[in-house]
Amino acid sequence: MKPLLVLQLFFLAGCSASRSREWAHHGAPMFADLTVREMKAVRAYLHGIPEMKLTEARGKTLNKNSILLMELHLPKKHEALKALDHGHAKPIRQARVIVQFGNQSQPNITEYIVSPLPTPNTHVVKTFKSNRPVRFESRPITNVEYSHIEARLEKIANKAYKLLFETTGGFSYTNCSDRCLTFSDIAPRGLAPGERRTWIMLQKFVEGYFIHPVGFEVLINHQDLDPERWTVEKVWYNSKYFDSVEELVEKYESGEVEKVKLPEHDDNDLYSTYIPRGHSNTPTNIHGPKLVEPQGHRYHIDQNFVEYAGWSFAYRVRSSAGLQIFDLRFNGERIAYEISLQEAIAFYSGDTPAAMQTKYIDAGWAMGTSTYELAPGIDCPEIATFVDLYHYFDTDKPILHKNALCIFEMTLAMPLRRHFNSDFQGGYNFYGGLDNTVLVVRTTSTVYNYDYIWDFLFYLNGVVEVKMSASGYIHATFFTPNGLHYGTKVYNYVLGNLHTHLIHYKVDLDIAGQKNSFETLNLKYVNFTNPWSPKNFIVQSKLHHTEHKTERSAAFRFGKKFPRYLHFYNPNEKNKWGHQKGYRIQFNSHAHSVLPKDWREEKGISWSRYPLAVTRHKDSEATSSSIYTQNDPWEPVVSFEDYIRNNEDIVNQDLVAWVTVGFLHVPHSEDIPNTATPGNAVGFFLRPFNFFDEDPSLSSKSTVIVRQDKAGKPKVQRWTPEVVGHCVTNQPFVYDGTYSGV
């Protein structure tokens, strides 16, 4: 090739890479969460529409019209790609707003798309696929409704004051100081669509109250918008059911009900506290290892746009669901348009009514808004970049969550790759190694008792890891002998209930372009005559490729044999060696289905039938769940099964992979006080599979090679400076933990 032509091609490649980076940076704000200014402008616009009759969300009455939630409404993919791939103008920014219309003859939930931001002047009704209506009863519980529940519980607890006081050793729901009772509520709220009746269990209000049940549970019907019309339908105490609080109290006083006396404990010796106890062999006068950046960050952040070691992407934290990544590129080439958390569920079993009813579907609690402050040095390294988040849910002004997301680079203290090339005579020919560093984007969701730690990890060799680590308090109920069928006794009168965690992700892959196909790879034994010894046979494994041509064929059910390799590839693009450029999904999961197919509540989580399902991209199939599924799983407004029911062609199409990961958790005594993260992390990897011509981490200048010179002395070859000493932050530990309106 002539030198001039080589220079021209090199110049064009450089220009293309520069444009790609420029357009990615230009398009990233399309995916940024709503700003405070935008939230306030949307609220002012909607409150200025007389016919909506909107009032304060925190007003005391339930029969009012108010904004429940506000978040970014994503642009359509084809419109976004014009900006990302050609530098065109970005689509107008829009807000998704959920309004509760309780002040009318037929209360309803209506969603609106409000635009253009930051100065809105129009709104349209947002509908769901199949135009399913949203039942008013399926709305999440608000702070105002909780205040009325608390008021009703006060009346209930006052009727059972003596029973509760004697049972708990002096705790009460009212007129208490440091010996108070509190409650946890259970969902779904009923057994059929249109119901709103909740099992509530009382607990001692001490540090870690989630594992302090007192054995008193009550079923409240709170469907009516007038709390004065709410009723108590059932009461459960010490394994027995009663039709009213009065009946329980009467039988308790008469001796027909066995009296329980919970063990007393000192507030300074709570089994649920984090205060250290027991002997430790770790020195306390010196610090443990710290993560340092001797010369500063090696990544770049501009608003919601992040660059690191060839990677670039935009991020957001969707208030209803959580962390999402968009326009993920490596060396300017898009790998995925979207990787996003969709839903997290925890389905329980138990002997008490609260336990057997507990089927938590966490987007129904606005899981994305429970992103509280991260502690430096614990939740994230001190060197991390901490980012504030703003949410608008069940509020009258935006809420600031300080330091709720962090981004940092870390070493895994494990080589990305290495080799010691022995000469088998006591020496070596060479040693080569590359340290393994990753960029981590992290946030958490603390949905009442449970803490989910959400991670995206970006490796130097083109690998992405998506991970959830579980911690927090177990969901515990009052111990009964029959409860041992459904869990483990973890303390006196405390049962840790078995449950399954399932996490659902959307992975919109664009491998070397939007036209992708999907195949699975398995191994098959072959038996043939040995060509160099015809009297013998060879038995070995052979690759078996299965192309999946329709959505139904690419929906793999739990309980069925799962393929070994899940390969997404571009049939139109090949690498240097003639292989179609692709990525594979590799699972780290122990998930299984939680309910039989089509069983009542299972209809709302039909995505949980499949560890993997592959569909064609549709803007109308943006999410696999909704904020309403928790309280109406029986007839959900978003039914994932509808996405694959039409069984469309998926060959050479814009494909979306829907991934389910999770694990069974049988609580044990070591879950006291908290579930620990080791062994409780699940997720998946996106790994290049012939996407590159060779390992792209070869570009890393952190490689170290050691050879022997002629005198036998080691000669070190490296492309980065020697270590520049040790650095640890001189800032004291600071943590606030508050979040407030702005």
Side-chain angles (χ1 to χ4, degrees):
M1 189 177 289
K2 296 180 179 180
L4 180 60
L5 181 58
V6 173
L7 286 173
Q8 287 175 332
L9 290 175
F10 183 79
F11 176 75
L12 290 173
C15 289
S16 176
S18 176
R19 281 200 307 270
S20 176
R21 189 268 175 196
E22 180 183 337
W23 293 341
H25 187 215
H26 159 72
M30 292 186 294
F31 308 110
D33 288 311
L34 298 181
T35 65
V36 170
R37 177 190 173 191
E38 289 172 331
M39 292 177 182
K40 290 183 176 180
V42 169
R43 183 184 186 278
Y45 167 71
L46 291 177
H47 272 256
I49 301 174
E51 55 268 29
M52 285 196 180
K53 301 178 181 178
L54 295 182
T55 61
E56 301 289 315
R58 292 299 179 95
K60 293 183 179 180
T61 181
L62 293 176
N63 57 346
K64 63 178 181 293
N65 302 343
S66 61
I67 295 174
L68 175 66
L69 178 137
M70 189 188 303
E71 63 185 14
L72 176 73
H73 178 67
L74 288 173
K76 293 180 179 180
K77 182 176 179 179
H78 73 276
E79 295 177 350
L81 290 179
K82 291 178 182 178
L84 295 170
D85 293 345
H86 305 289
H88 292 181
K90 296 184 288 290
I92 61 171
R93 278 174 63 80
Q94 300 177 311
R96 172 204 181 201
V97 184
I98 301 175
V99 177
Q100 303 179 109
F101 288 102
N103 184 23
Q104 52 191 44
S105 57
Q106 292 295 323
N108 71 75
I109 296 287
T110 303
E111 295 201 7
Y112 296 100
I113 305 303
V114 180
S115 61
L117 302 182
T119 310
N121 56 31
T122 185
H123 64 282
V124 296
V125 174
K126 178 184 180 296
T127 58
F128 289 89
K129 195 177 177 75
S130 302
N131 290 315
R132 287 185 175 93
V134 181
R135 284 190 177 85
F136 195 64
E137 292 80 9
S138 69
R139 70 195 186 280
I141 297 275
T142 62
N143 275 285
V144 173
E145 191 167 4
Y146 271 129
S147 69
H148 290 294
I149 289 175
E150 290 175 354
R152 180 52 55 112
L153 282 176
E154 286 183 11
K155 296 178 181 178
I156 293 169
N158 284 337
K159 292 179 181 178
Y161 178 84
K162 181 179 179 184
L163 178 152
L164 293 171
F165 192 86
E166 293 178 350
T167 296
T168 60
F171 282 74
S172 61
Y173 198 84
T174 57
N175 299 320
C176 57
S177 54
D178 60 346
R179 300 178 77 79
C180 297
L181 296 174
T182 188
F183 72 93
S184 286
D185 57 318
I186 308 305
R189 304 179 192 281
L191 300 173
E195 294 187 357
R196 200 164 178 85
R197 48 195 187 123
T198 301
W199 275 103
I200 293 171
M201 61 175 177
L202 296 188
Q203 299 147 321
K204 292 182 178 179
F205 189 40
V206 296
E207 195 170 278
Y209 63 84
F210 302 106
I211 53 177
H212 287 270
V214 302
F216 185 97
E217 300 177 3
V218 58
L219 177 62
I220 297 177
N221 188 324
H222 53 110
Q223 182 174 350
D224 200 290
L225 293 180
D226 181 358
E228 294 301 319
R229 298 178 183 173
W230 291 0
T231 58
V232 173
E233 295 189 351
K234 284 288 180 183
V235 179
W236 183 92
Y237 175 75
N238 194 19
S239 299
K240 295 185 182 301
Y241 289 88
F242 305 89
D243 291 328
S244 66
V245 181
E246 290 81 2
E247 180 191 359
L248 167 60
V249 171
E250 179 183 336
K251 292 183 176 180
Y252 179 85
E253 294 291 352
S254 66
E256 293 182 57
V257 175
E258 179 185 355
K259 297 185 178 182
V260 175
K261 181 66 166 68
L262 298 179
E264 302 228 8
H265 52 255
D266 190 300
D267 288 344
N268 295 319
D269 189 31
L270 288 174
Y271 58 88
S272 56
T273 186
Y274 265 68
I275 296 174
R277 49 187 179 270
H279 177 70
S280 172
N281 290 311
T282 304
T284 58
N285 60 336
I286 56 175
H287 281 286
K290 294 287 184 181
L291 189 63
V292 300
E293 293 175 319
Q295 294 166 297
H297 299 328
R298 299 198 300 178
Y299 56 89
H300 173 71
I301 303 174
D302 185 3
Q303 302 300 317
N304 71 318
F305 181 67
V306 182
E307 295 174 289
Y308 168 75
W311 290 107
S312 71
F313 57 88
Y315 72 85
R316 72 178 284 216
V317 179
R318 184 179 172 216
S319 295
S320 52
L323 187 58
Q324 302 183 333
I325 296 293
F326 291 93
D327 191 31
L328 176 65
R329 307 187 191 203
F330 192 85
N331 291 337
E333 195 165 10
R334 185 176 300 113
I335 307 298
Y337 176 76
E338 174 185 354
I339 310 175
S340 59
L341 174 63
Q342 295 291 305
E343 186 60 275
I345 68 171
F347 275 38
Y348 287 75
S349 298
D351 186 44
T352 80
M356 62 183 72
Q357 180 68 3
T358 301
K359 297 174 179 64
Y360 288 140
I361 305 173
D362 288 336
W365 307 77
M367 174 171 62
T369 66
S370 59
T371 51
Y372 303 111
E373 184 175 357
L374 299 167
I378 302 171
D379 295 321
C380 310
E382 290 97 335
I383 60 167
T385 299
F386 289 87
V387 179
D388 295 340
L389 299 177
Y390 298 88
H391 297 294
Y392 197 108
F393 172 70
D394 190 22
T395 181
D396 291 303
K397 56 185 176 181
I399 302 297
L400 164 64
H401 290 236
K402 293 182 292 188
N403 299 337
L405 180 141
C406 68
I407 299 173
F408 57 93
E409 185 184 12
M410 70 174 184
T411 175
L412 296 181
M414 168 72 71
L416 182 66
R417 47 186 167 80
R418 56 95 69 189
H419 179 63
F420 179 84
N421 191 250
S422 173
D423 65 3
F424 302 103
Q425 297 180 12
Y428 61 96
N429 298 312
F430 79 91
Y431 165 82
L434 174 62
D435 63 334
N436 196 0
T437 59
V438 298
L439 186 76
V440 182
V441 179
R442 173 175 295 169
T443 188
T444 61
S445 295
T446 302
V447 191
Y448 292 87
N449 59 301
Y450 240 88
D451 293 69
Y452 298 105
I453 303 169
W454 310 107
D455 283 344
F456 283 88
L457 297 91
F458 303 91
Y459 291 76
L460 300 178
N461 62 341
V463 171
V464 181
E465 183 180 1
V466 182
K467 184 169 68 171
M468 182 281 292
S469 303
S471 187
Y473 286 97
I474 59 174
H475 179 60
T477 57
F478 192 76
F479 176 80
T480 65
N482 194 49
L484 290 174
H485 295 294
Y486 307 106
T488 306
K489 185 176 183 180
V490 294
Y491 210 76
N492 291 324
Y493 294 102
V494 183
L495 182 82
N497 298 78
L498 72 86
H499 54 284
T500 296
H501 291 281
L502 293 182
I503 314 298
H504 203 228
Y505 291 94
K506 178 183 181 181
V507 186
D508 185 346
L509 292 165
D510 284 356
I511 307 298
Q514 286 181 262
K515 300 297 185 181
N516 290 177
S517 293
F518 171 64
E519 68 172 359
T520 56
L521 278 65
N522 277 308
L523 298 180
K524 294 182 70 173
Y525 290 123
V526 291
N527 186 339
F528 56 91
T529 301
N530 190 324
W532 51 268
S533 181
K535 294 181 181 180
N536 296 290
F537 294 89
I538 298 291
V539 175
Q540 63 184 15
S541 295
K542 178 182 179 181
L543 273 178
H544 179 69
H545 296 252
T546 302
E547 183 182 19
H548 295 270
K549 297 183 178 182
T550 63
E551 291 176 328
R552 184 59 71 183
S553 74
F556 301 92
R557 293 292 299 271
F558 278 114
K560 304 290 185 179
K561 188 175 181 180
F562 197 56
R564 305 282 286 275
Y565 270 47
L566 308 165
H567 181 213
F568 294 82
Y569 63 95
N570 190 318
N572 314 299
E573 297 288 337
K574 295 182 179 181
N575 71 359
K576 182 178 180 180
W577 315 114
H579 295 292
Q580 290 156 329
K581 301 183 73 169
Y583 259 72
R584 55 180 282 237
I585 294 178
Q586 178 178 318
F587 278 65
N588 172 28
S589 173
H590 315 285
H592 207 279
S593 55
V594 291
L595 285 174
K597 182 177 179 290
D598 286 327
W599 177 257
R600 295 177 179 174
E601 294 87 357
E602 193 269 351
K603 295 176 183 177
I605 55 165
S606 55
W607 53 263
S608 70
R609 300 169 186 173
Y610 312 103
L612 175 74
V614 182
T615 66
R616 284 171 64 166
H617 173 272
K618 286 187 175 69
D619 289 313
S620 61
E621 297 176 354
T623 64
S624 61
S625 189
S626 84
I627 199 170
Y628 315 110
T629 306
Q630 174 67 92
N631 294 326
D632 190 359
W634 310 281
E635 294 180 357
V637 294
V638 175
S639 174
F640 179 75
E641 191 66 24
D642 290 348
Y643 296 2
I644 58 179
R645 187 167 281 127
N646 56 2
N647 201 25
E648 289 185 297
D649 167 41
I650 59 170
V651 177
N652 205 20
Q653 301 289 341
D654 188 358
L655 300 184
V656 177
W658 304 87
V659 176
T660 304
V661 296
F663 63 96
L664 168 67
H665 185 183
V666 180
H668 43 90
S669 54
E670 292 82 7
D671 283 314
I672 301 300
N674 262 182
T675 295
T677 54
N680 288 321
V682 295
F684 61 94
F685 292 86
L686 288 177
R687 298 182 59 183
F689 194 73
N690 297 315
F691 187 85
F692 304 101
D693 296 333
E694 60 184 359
D695 185 344
S697 70
L698 278 170
S699 65
S700 173
K701 299 303 188 287
S702 296
T703 298
V704 174
I705 300 174
V706 184
R707 298 184 178 91
Q708 290 180 306
D709 62 17
K710 293 180 179 179
K713 294 182 179 179
K715 181 180 178 182
V716 179
Q717 187 177 13
R718 62 185 307 138
W719 290 263
T720 55
E722 295 292 337
V723 175
V724 292
H726 64 279
C727 306
V728 178
T729 178
N730 59 1
Q731 298 297 317
F733 179 83
V734 176
Y735 186 76
D736 185 283
T738 62
Y739 50 102
S740 58
V742 291

